[in-house]
Amino acid sequence: MKWTALGRTFGWSSAALVMTLFLFVAGGGAQEKKGGPEIPESGEKKPKGTVPHTAESTGDVVISGQLGLEQAGPHEHFRFWITVENRSDGDLTNLSLEHLDIPGFVISRRCWSTDRNDPSCWASGESHPSATSTCLVSGSLGNQPDLLCTTLASKHAVTVWGILAPGKDSAQGSAFAVLAWTAENKWSEQAVPLGNVESEGWFRYLWVSLTERWIALPIWITIFGGLYALWSGRRERKRHERELELQAASSRRATESEQQRHTWNVLLLKVHRLAFQHYLPIASTVQGILFYFAREARAEGDSDDNFLGAFCYMLRFHWRVRKMKRGGASWYFKKLTAEEMVVVLFQTHRNHMGLQDLGRQAVLDGFLDWIKDETTVADVLEYLKSCPPAQWDFWLEFRARAKRWYREEMLLLSAMTTIMTFEINRVYYYWYEERRAIALDKNELRVLRAAMAEAASQSRDLPGQVEEYLSEALTAKKLEREEESAP
């Protein structure tokens, strides 16, 4: 918090200092403009952009030139000047600009020929004086853009200027011009340096503008310092907020972990009791059904006896499930998807039995009302000899149905009991120190997936949840324990 306050204070102080320096610079600049430009003393360097005057002399002809800037940005236009002084006793004729070499720039306006009267060649409000009569470019010669003067009289001088536009970016280089003329029937030419110039690209132009032209580097350092202080303070606040969020999340996880342990301790005993009271007896009864269906599949023993044995265990199976429901219990597994799978498989079995018909369900309830805890298979066989006609018909119909689907029913009930026993053993992972993969073969998986796909009309996400469950359950898992080192 102290660092945050310091950063905020430093940020406001930096902003105030920036405004003060900006007003100081602006005020100083305004005063300088008001009082006129200062003349640099001897030995001082000239400011950037002011190009020293250069001159070359060839006998009695003196040529000088100058550039408006030393550095120009991507869109800057500036001027150049060339002055020719005729100190000879004769005239100079056909004075022309033979060559102009300014690295990175091209002539966009010639203010000595047909462009002379263009407004861009003159300052706003400035009059446009005509060229001296001794230096007029007219007639057919007026179509020659590089002809500076038709006749430059003796003891006269002429100054021409033009406007330069950016061409290609270039490093700093020397600019020069080559002028030619005729005097006393002799043709002459002379090169004159104009100074050094650099064409700046966008990046360098912006950087120089920021650090040298628009505002001084120390002020930018102050600005960046203030921005850094603000950024640092904001980062510190965010870090503090993240720490508070992590502390809250840690506290929440600790609370949830404690609640989970409490729930697990309570439900583990309940699931353990349900497993011994209901789940394991139900699975054991289903094994009786599977035993007689397997005999039939192997063509072992009498077929009617096989289906009769499966029927006796089927009645006991439904009686145990009803007993569990009436006792207020249900399927309570560690995985909710496993509970849904067992429910779907049991309902599919009921559909195979035709129990969606209320009449058939009523007949089955009559059977279940007669069964007791101590009822045996022999008791069921004896009961069938004198049972009501509706119950006898129920047995005959079961035999007829079972002959058609008992093979699929074997896979269905086997998958159901496999899931039940797998989930019963899951809670004892820390006891056994391992959890073996669920023992479902490919045929059982096929029947299981088909049942889940049919149930998807009521639970659209169920098939995907089942695949996720199987991906985890089909993988064995061992408890990793640190080996105790020998003394």
Side-chain angles (χ1 to χ4, degrees), residues 378-394:
D379 294 334
V380 175
L381 294 176
E382 187 64 28
Y383 175 77
L384 286 175
K385 294 178 181 180
S386 58
C387 68
Q391 293 180 352
W392 181 256
D393 292 340
F394 186 90

Side-chain angles (χ1 to χ4, degrees), residues 357-421:
D357 180 84
L358 292 179
R360 289 184 58 78
Q361 179 64 55
V363 175
L364 177 62
D365 288 339
F367 271 115
L368 303 185
D369 291 340
W370 170 80
I371 296 177
K372 302 294 184 294
D373 285 333
E374 61 275 7
T375 302
T376 63
V377 173
D379 294 334
V380 175
L381 294 176
E382 187 64 28
Y383 175 77
L384 286 175
K385 294 178 181 180
S386 58
C387 68
Q391 293 180 352
W392 181 256
D393 292 340
F394 186 90
W395 142 245
L396 295 178
E397 190 169 350
F398 167 82
R399 185 179 60 181
R401 287 173 176 267
K403 288 182 179 181
R404 297 195 302 270
W405 48 248
Y406 78 94
R407 294 181 184 275
E408 289 294 304
E409 190 70 10
M410 285 175 60
L411 298 173
L412 182 83
L413 294 177
S414 178
M416 178 179 172
T417 55
T418 300
I419 295 171
M420 289 170 55
T421 53

